[in-house]
Amino acid sequence: MRDSVLWRKLSHITMMLSEALQVDAETALDVLYSTKTYIKLVEPSTGLQLMSDSYILEDILSELEECWQGE
């Protein structure tokens, strides 16, 4: 059951990320998979799975912003 809940959470976050970046869902999923936040999200011991989707999206967007500023 936990896997299906995580899958739905990832699906929702992907769609929110797609809207925020104005890209298609496949591109948003690729971006999500490339983040450190995703690695933390799939690891239950971090507790990130318990946070709201909006909170996680903000983490992802902050991480991407830092990455883009570093270029």
Side-chain angles (χ1 to χ4, degrees):
M1 174 161 161
R2 194 168 14 189
D3 288 339
S4 64
V5 172
L6 179 58
W7 183 85
R8 281 192 300 265
K9 186 171 208 58
L10 289 171
S11 175
H12 188 238
I13 292 168
T14 300
M15 296 313 295
M16 292 170 62
L17 184 60
S18 173
E19 288 180 29
L21 298 178
Q22 298 180 348
V23 297
D24 61 46
E26 186 175 348
T27 301
L29 190 58
D30 287 342
V31 170
L32 174 63
Y33 285 160
S34 70
T35 63
K36 294 175 185 174
T37 304
Y38 172 76
I39 294 168
K40 293 176 188 173
L41 183 58
V42 297
E43 178 55 50
S45 66
T46 65
L48 192 57
Q49 294 175 359
L50 303 174
M51 299 300 187
S52 74
D53 297 350
S54 297
Y55 177 88
I56 296 168
L57 177 65
E58 287 301 317
D59 272 0
I60 293 167
L61 294 174
S62 292
E63 181 180 340
L64 293 174
E65 187 175 321
E66 288 175 17
C67 198
W68 290 331
Q69 287 177 353
E71 290 181 357

